[in-house]
Amino acid sequence: MLIKNFFTKKKKYASIPSEKAKQEIPQGLMLKCEGCQKIFYIREWSKHLNVCPECGYHHKLPAHDRIDSLMDEGTFEEWDQHMTSKNPLNFPNYEEKLLKDKEKTELAEAVVTGKGKINGNETAIAVMDAQFRMGSMGSVVGDKIAKAIERARELQIPIIIFTASGGARMQEGMLSLMQMAKTSIAVERFNRSGGCMIVVMTNPTTGGVSASFASIGDYHFAEPGALIGFAGRRIIEQTIREKLPKDFQTAEFQLEHGQIDKVIPRSELKQSLSVVLNLHQVGGGQA
Amino acid sequence: MKQVLEFEKPIVELREKINELKNLTKDSEMDLSDEIKTLEKRLEKLEFGIYSNLSPWEKVQIARHADRPTTLEYIEMIFTDFVELHGDRLYGDDPSIVTGIAKFCNIPVTIIGHQRGKNTKDNIYRNFGSPHPEGYRKALRQMKLAAKFNRPIITFIDTKGAHPGKAAEERGQSEAIARNLMEMGSLQVPIISVVIGEGGSGGALAIGVADKLHMLENATYSVISPEGAASILWKDSKFASKAAESLKITASDLKELGIIDQIIPEPKGGAHKDIQYQAEQIAQYIKDTLMELKEINRDELIEQRWEKYKKIGFYE
Ligand SMILES: [Zn+2]
């Protein structure tokens, strides 16, 4: 299933460097690393969850592949699977863009929510998918995340949110902006009930998502190299009229500036998350 | 020198012509009163035609007008005994957000508002009304004090957005905004927000999670600036007027979408044409809203606030 998905979904990674290379690389079988530019077999990549075996660059991971990589087999139960966006502002070309991304990702929207078990620890989970409208937050994304937090509160289980988003979704205007308030107040209610919220920031976590639920978890983890921040690099450079350092707004930069707890490589996430979840079990620490 | 907007030029020209004629008759024997009357009628019609059919982009121009009244001007006209309070107790004091306590209709209240400058020097000091994290953290500190002392909170929104800068990122701009959104959800005192100028995205919302949200008639509130949207969508900020249309950022559009509660009328041509009138209007709306909210018990208040935000959104 994974391999099949790569053929249909991941063509974007196969940006071929030259005409000569184009002739040599069989389409759909190989991909170029965005970090070291080396060419790899897709098989090789999927084995490493889209992390470059050579340089460790963490490429985007589709939401369901992420869930498969974390959840104990057969335990994931999806919520609100069919919620789908409309075009409330009659924004030009929005429906076409949604349709295109639905076909590209086989998702109904930019976040998948549900619950399941990680090494036996029950948890709610929300996983954003940056391939769907850049993971931007409109009505559906905001509502699905708020609903997932509310359900976790009712079920008295933790929630893990994987963020991957360019920010609020422009095409839904102020309805998108208000999702920042909705999701953040949902977090507040969850906090009041004593719930445990873990945020794992993946590439990219910026704009309105960074400035709402993503930044108010109890624990903030991030994948190596992930872009994390409020404003875009280009806008900041224009404002301050200077070049920003290469590592600006990376996960490592945010760690240094006190905004996250830990940078965790993708290969270690399942283990790390299950340890943290386990420390929040009633009574603590049963294996 | 007053700033004249492009679409107002016909009005300004006609008014100048009328004034010229008036001056002419003052110093001579000519009787031009009929002509003047006709022109004044025409001016009235022209003003009505232009000011009652403002496009979203024209409203953006009014919302950003250099003479448009700012938070501090309204504070002076609407409240008494204002004591400005400074600093976030963590890093510094951000002059692009003004906070303090004052009396409104004899009730102590907390006031928080974005503050633009009125001239270049002032604007540099106020960072053009674009806050750093310490601005939002100062605001949060005041909000918590308001909750402690059971004071209603009144916020004035008027910013292009949170400051996009290196230092702002290093000090956690995202976290500062996010924390305010979260904390405002649980403050057990009434929160009333009024968009008085430009409401720029998360940087506006960070002091705008409210029980009641009102907007001045020509104010705008948007998830992204029209110029920003235009350069993303059409690769050219010249299409800002088209983007302003598509984004639905005016008070009337946002009332229709259920995002805001009430539209506060402005004098013909915008708040800067009659600041006294504008301040009285705002005061009246705040008063009515406070009366309405003070009846609600505290737990119910935050429950209703959650229900309100929970409902915002369109989907299948
Ligand atoms: Zn590589």
Side-chain angles (χ1 to χ4, degrees):
Chain A
M1 187 251 184
L2 271 178
I3 301 291
K4 189 203 102 208
N5 284 350
F6 278 116
F7 283 100
T8 54
K9 289 180 192 169
K10 296 301 188 39
K11 281 183 192 141
K12 204 174 159 242
Y13 291 153
S15 53
I16 306 301
S18 70
E19 278 308 309
K20 186 170 167 282
K22 208 180 251 175
Q23 289 158 10
E24 286 168 2
I25 300 164
Q27 281 284 338
L29 274 177
M30 305 193 82
L31 300 164
K32 191 181 80 171
C33 172
E34 286 175 42
C36 65
Q37 318 292 314
K38 283 197 180 126
I39 311 285
F40 294 94
Y41 278 105
I42 288 171
R43 271 199 312 275
E44 188 72 14
W45 277 51
S46 58
K47 231 172 35 197
H48 294 93
L49 299 167
N50 294 7
V51 176
C52 175
E54 198 75 30
C55 72
Y57 188 94
H58 282 54
H59 296 86
K60 288 175 183 130
L61 187 63
H64 281 293
D65 292 356
R66 170 80 67 185
I67 290 164
D68 289 346
S69 79
L70 293 170
M71 292 289 182
D72 303 345
E73 217 182 317
T75 63
F76 182 65
E77 173 194 310
E78 188 169 347
W79 295 332
D80 305 312
Q81 191 174 353
H82 302 292
M83 273 175 65
T84 168
S85 298
K86 296 208 287 192
N87 187 3
L89 310 187
N90 280 316
F91 204 93
N93 308 320
Y94 184 35
E95 278 120 332
E96 290 89 316
K97 283 175 177 162
L98 284 171
L99 202 64
K100 217 175 89 196
D101 284 5
K102 280 183 194 174
E103 280 167 11
K104 184 174 78 183
T105 61
E106 296 170 31
L107 295 172
E109 250 299 342
V111 68
V112 177
T113 60
K115 65 164 186 152
K117 285 181 177 168
I118 298 178
N119 289 340
N121 300 284
E122 196 176 25
T123 184
I125 192 167
V127 181
M128 303 184 82
D129 194 312
Q131 305 276 50
F132 193 108
R133 300 276 81 225
M134 284 169 63
S136 60
M137 175 162 65
S139 300
V140 171
V141 169
D143 213 64
K144 280 181 83 168
I145 286 171
K147 280 197 165 88
I149 297 169
E150 282 285 285
R151 285 207 183 105
R153 184 175 67 91
E154 284 155 17
L155 296 167
Q156 296 184 293
I157 56 176
I159 185 164
I160 302 172
I161 304 183
F162 280 81
T163 56
S165 176
R169 189 171 297 171
M170 180 171 60
Q171 289 88 349
E172 292 184 33
M174 284 296 289
L175 293 167
S176 299
L177 191 78
M178 291 301 160
Q179 304 309 314
M180 292 171 65
K182 183 195 285 182
T183 52
S184 301
I185 302 175
V187 174
E188 192 281 322
R189 288 163 59 82
F190 188 59
N191 283 343
R192 248 188 294 151
S193 76
C196 163
M197 172 166 153
I198 302 170
V199 177
V200 184
M201 302 183 202
T202 74
N203 192 35
T205 297
T206 58
V209 165
S210 170
S212 61
F213 62 89
S215 291
I216 44 177
D218 297 311
Y219 307 103
H220 290 171
F221 302 132
E223 289 194 336
L227 173 73
I228 300 163
F230 176 66
R233 169 185 284 263
R234 205 171 43 85
I235 293 162
I236 298 172
E237 284 182 337
Q238 279 167 9
T239 309
I240 64 173
R241 295 196 187 90
E242 60 177 274
K243 274 260 170 242
L244 290 162
K246 198 165 171 282
D247 74 336
F248 186 69
Q249 294 180 323
T250 57
E252 294 74 14
F253 171 95
Q254 297 297 354
L255 180 68
E256 193 185 322
H257 288 89
Q259 295 302 319
I260 59 175
D261 292 293
K262 199 176 177 193
V263 178
I264 304 177
R266 195 170 288 167
S267 58
E268 295 168 22
L269 265 174
K270 178 166 180 162
Q271 185 52 30
S272 299
L273 288 172
S274 73
V275 168
V276 175
L277 287 175
N278 194 253
L279 287 166
H280 288 78
Q281 296 274 7
V282 183
Q286 71 263 39
Chain B
M1 179 57 194
K2 293 264 173 199
Q3 185 192 359
V4 176
L5 302 172
E6 197 56 42
F7 61 88
E8 293 181 303
K9 279 187 179 154
I11 296 172
V12 174
E13 278 161 19
L14 186 56
R15 190 175 292 132
E16 274 170 7
K17 202 168 159 193
I18 293 170
N19 286 341
E20 255 172 53
L21 288 184
K22 280 183 178 166
N23 282 338
L24 214 65
T25 49
K26 217 190 293 171
D27 311 324
S28 76
E29 303 296 306
M30 269 191 296
D31 181 16
L32 293 170
S33 57
D34 283 352
E35 282 82 349
I36 290 172
K37 228 175 242 164
T38 316
L39 286 180
E40 277 177 337
K41 274 234 169 79
R42 203 199 292 171
L43 177 66
E44 205 175 300
K45 248 173 109 177
L46 187 67
E47 281 188 319
F48 182 81
I50 289 176
Y51 289 137
S52 55
N53 291 295
L54 291 170
S55 72
W57 182 240
E58 286 165 347
K59 289 190 176 179
V60 171
Q61 306 307 308
I62 293 182
R64 291 177 183 169
H65 198 288
D67 302 326
R68 193 168 175 86
T70 63
T71 296
L72 278 173
E73 285 156 273
Y74 288 132
I75 288 175
E76 201 187 302
M77 283 187 279
I78 296 173
F79 304 90
T80 53
D81 300 334
F82 177 61
V83 182
E84 187 175 349
L85 302 164
H86 293 275
D88 67 349
R89 303 294 188 270
L90 297 163
Y91 178 81
D93 183 41
D94 186 343
S96 64
I97 288 188
V98 163
T99 67
I101 49 177
K103 263 189 185 160
F104 177 75
C105 300
N106 261 329
I107 307 169
V109 295
T110 286
I111 309 166
I112 294 162
H114 298 105
Q115 185 62 44
R116 290 181 295 111
K118 294 295 281 187
N119 54 47
T120 308
K121 195 178 154 220
D122 195 19
N123 250 324
I124 289 166
Y125 172 64
R126 301 284 181 188
N127 198 32
F128 297 85
S130 288
H132 281 73
E134 47 274 24
Y136 296 117
R137 289 173 184 144
K138 170 169 73 173
L140 181 60
R141 191 171 72 81
Q142 294 306 327
M143 292 191 264
K144 290 193 158 174
L145 277 184
K148 177 179 176 186
F149 295 114
N150 196 22
R151 287 192 290 260
I153 299 167
I154 294 152
T155 78
F156 294 110
I157 294 173
D158 189 16
T159 182
K160 284 186 194 308
H163 181 71
K166 187 163 175 268
E169 296 289 325
E170 287 169 344
R171 297 201 285 274
Q173 188 71 291
S174 283
E175 193 272 348
I177 295 171
R179 183 157 307 278
N180 281 17
L181 304 182
M182 176 172 82
E183 299 279 359
M184 289 183 92
S186 70
L187 293 170
Q188 289 186 321
V189 287
I191 308 174
I192 302 169
S193 290
V194 182
V195 187
I196 56 172
E198 201 176 2
S201 200
L205 185 64
I207 60 165
V209 176
D211 299 303
K212 295 285 175 190
L213 173 61
H214 304 324
M215 260 175 99
L216 298 198
E217 191 182 337
N218 296 311
T220 59
Y221 200 172
S222 183
V223 68
I224 182 171
S225 74
E227 291 91 337
S231 55
I232 292 170
L233 287 169
W234 299 293
K235 310 285 172 238
D236 191 342
S237 60
K238 288 199 194 77
F239 290 101
S241 114
K242 193 177 165 189
E245 199 95 32
S246 304
L247 285 165
K248 304 276 187 265
I249 60 176
T250 64
S252 51
D253 282 334
L254 295 173
K255 179 96 176 19
E256 213 165 293
L257 281 169
I259 305 262
I260 66 162
D261 293 286
Q262 280 172 310
I263 301 171
I264 303 177
E266 289 190 29
K268 203 169 51 185
H272 58 290
K273 305 272 179 180
D274 190 345
I275 302 180
Q276 189 59 43
Y277 168 88
Q278 194 60 70
E280 283 163 15
Q281 287 293 314
I282 294 172
Q284 191 57 50
Y285 275 79
I286 293 175
K287 192 177 168 189
D288 293 346
T289 310
L290 263 185
M291 290 300 146
E292 191 186 328
L293 293 174
K294 93 175 186 290
E295 303 302 322
I296 306 169
N297 97 25
R298 290 159 157 245
D299 290 333
E300 185 61 22
L301 193 66
I302 57 170
E303 199 58 33
Q304 282 184 15
R305 199 178 296 152
W306 160 243
E307 290 295 331
K308 168 189 155 168
Y309 283 96
K310 194 167 100 171
K311 275 202 297 246
I312 298 177
F314 276 82
Y315 49 80
E316 265 168 16

